[in-house]
Amino acid sequence: MYIRWKSITIALIDVLLAVYLILAVTSWNKPEENVAVCNEVKINISDVNNAGFLSAEEVKDILNKVKLYPLNKSMNAINPRRIEETLRTGPFVNTAQCYKTTSGIVFINITQRMPIIRIKSDNGDDYYLDDNGGILPNSKYISDLIIATGSINRIFAQYYLSSLAKEINASPFWLNQIEQIHVLPDRGIELVPRVGNQIIFLGYLPYGKYKSARERGIREFVSKKLDRLSKFYKYGMSKVGWNLYSYINLEFDNQIVCKKQLHEEAGAEKSITRSEAVDVKKNDPEVLEKKSSEVKKEKKTDGPMAEEGPTE
């Protein structure tokens, strides 16, 4: 049998040339990572303009301390996964993503944990809570956040006050109007507004053993109470003045119990007239007025939650 060596040789040479051309084009279009260096680092932080803790400069400092900041380093020596793991260990980082490009740019994308309330408890605790109820250390001062004071332990803060703060923050009006939450020893909730000299007693947050039911109950509770307070602002306070009352009690259903300022404290504020009281009640039947001597705050024998906290 005659073998055509010439044809086989030509075909083999063609195959080798094709493979060589493919490898050559691929290597020419992809610079060697051993030679290329990082010429730029782009750090993107979500919500950086809001009440967050992190800035691009602080991320740079974190990586510099462990010698992981990639600028001017060989692209082959840069380990994106290690950068991500280092950043995730920080108390203010929620997620971190890092990747590099063939053009010598390293991208670092971060989402941060957002503080929604500051806790300053009677027991000396001072920290922030994020929007998931997680505790953030008080390493920075963040303005324009609601401050919670009083008898607060960490269980009550994480499971109850975080949900209350989220509901207040969800409304631009109440976020600007409420500046402080005070927790009484029996777990009653008082609100301190920016406008007006009164204290607002919200009542007792509903207890919930499971997270979903607890958050739903608090959301409905707060929505109902603040809706009634909004009506009282509209139909009551707008008529009699913002400084007539020293205490507004929203605890009871279908009524709002108000305690008047003492005459010495009321100053130039006028007393509410009978006709004005009728007008207020006519516009909103939920409003009930009482003189300060008639207002008695009911005591509750049981607190709204157990010390050991609910089940997740």
Side-chain angles (χ1 to χ4, degrees):
M1 180 179 179
Y2 177 73
I3 300 176
R4 297 182 178 180
W5 292 104
K6 185 177 180 180
S7 299
I8 294 174
T9 302
I10 293 173
L12 183 60
I13 292 173
D14 289 340
V15 171
L16 292 174
L17 285 174
V19 172
Y20 171 77
L21 289 174
I22 292 173
L23 293 175
V25 171
T26 304
S27 62
W28 290 338
N29 289 334
K30 182 178 180 181
E32 290 288 339
E33 284 195 340
N34 290 327
V35 178
V37 296
C38 173
N39 54 63
E40 185 178 3
V41 179
K42 292 187 176 182
I43 301 174
N44 302 310
I45 303 175
S46 65
D47 299 315
V48 69
N49 294 323
N50 294 329
F53 286 99
L54 284 175
S55 66
E57 193 63 30
E58 287 169 319
V59 173
K60 179 180 176 180
D61 291 340
I62 292 171
L63 295 177
N64 273 328
K65 287 179 181 178
V66 292
K67 299 181 179 180
L68 286 178
Y69 192 65
L71 189 63
N72 297 326
K73 289 187 177 181
S74 168
M75 295 295 285
N76 191 47
I78 297 171
N79 189 336
R81 177 171 293 183
R82 192 177 174 194
I83 291 175
E84 292 173 352
E85 292 173 350
T86 299
L87 292 175
R88 289 192 191 114
T89 60
F92 308 123
V93 175
N94 186 26
T95 64
Q97 181 187 40
C98 177
Y99 61 92
K100 53 187 179 180
T101 67
T102 56
S103 58
I105 301 176
V106 174
F107 288 86
I108 300 174
N109 298 322
I110 293 174
T111 61
Q112 57 182 326
R113 298 170 64 188
M114 297 302 298
I116 60 172
I117 187 172
R118 183 178 181 181
I119 306 296
K120 289 180 67 69
S121 175
D122 288 346
N123 62 16
D125 283 348
D126 189 354
Y127 53 89
Y128 293 95
L129 291 178
D130 67 11
D131 47 1
N132 291 316
I135 293 177
L136 300 173
N138 182 24
S139 60
K140 285 188 174 183
Y141 171 72
I142 301 295
S143 61
D144 299 327
L145 282 183
I146 297 173
I147 296 178
T149 59
S151 302
I152 306 171
N153 60 31
R154 297 203 172 195
I155 292 176
F156 189 74
Q158 290 183 275
Y159 290 127
Y160 290 87
L161 289 185
S162 62
S163 297
L164 172 59
K166 278 197 291 187
E167 293 309 309
I168 294 176
N169 287 336
S171 167
F173 173 77
W174 293 117
L175 178 60
N176 289 316
Q177 171 65 351
I178 304 301
E179 64 178 354
Q180 182 180 346
I181 298 170
H182 184 72
V183 181
L184 300 173
D186 63 353
R187 300 292 170 82
I189 302 296
E190 292 180 334
L191 304 179
V192 180
R194 296 182 190 275
V195 179
N197 294 328
Q198 61 281 148
I199 301 297
I200 301 164
F201 183 68
L202 203 63
Y204 300 86
L205 297 177
Y207 171 78
K209 185 177 181 181
Y210 299 102
K211 182 178 180 180
S212 59
R214 181 174 66 248
E215 290 183 343
R216 182 173 61 253
I218 293 175
R219 182 168 58 250
E220 294 172 353
F221 171 85
V222 175
S223 176
K224 180 180 178 181
K225 298 291 185 181
L226 294 184
D227 181 64
R228 288 168 55 202
L229 181 59
S230 177
K231 291 178 181 178
F232 181 66
Y233 279 171
K234 181 178 180 180
Y235 298 116
M237 303 288 273
S238 61
K239 290 181 176 292
V240 301
W242 288 90
N243 295 319
L244 179 64
Y245 302 116
S246 63
Y247 207 84
I248 299 174
N249 190 335
L250 302 175
E251 178 184 5
F252 310 107
D253 291 336
N254 301 320
Q255 65 180 13
I256 297 176
V257 181
C258 300
K259 179 180 178 181
K260 286 186 178 181
Q261 297 271 12
L262 297 177
H263 291 295
E264 293 80 8
E265 297 174 349
E269 285 290 335
K270 65 175 183 177
S271 299
I272 186 170
T273 65
R274 183 177 183 83
S275 61
E276 287 172 332
V278 171
D279 288 340
V280 170
K281 293 178 182 178
K282 187 184 298 182
N283 284 319
D284 189 355
E286 293 182 345
V287 176
L288 175 66
E289 295 184 352
K290 291 186 179 181
K291 294 182 180 179
S292 59
S293 60
E294 297 173 341
V295 176
K296 293 183 179 179
K297 186 176 178 182
E298 294 186 1
K299 297 289 185 179
K300 290 201 172 186
T301 57
D302 297 324
M305 63 168 286
E307 283 295 326
E308 61 270 16
T311 302
E312 283 299 312

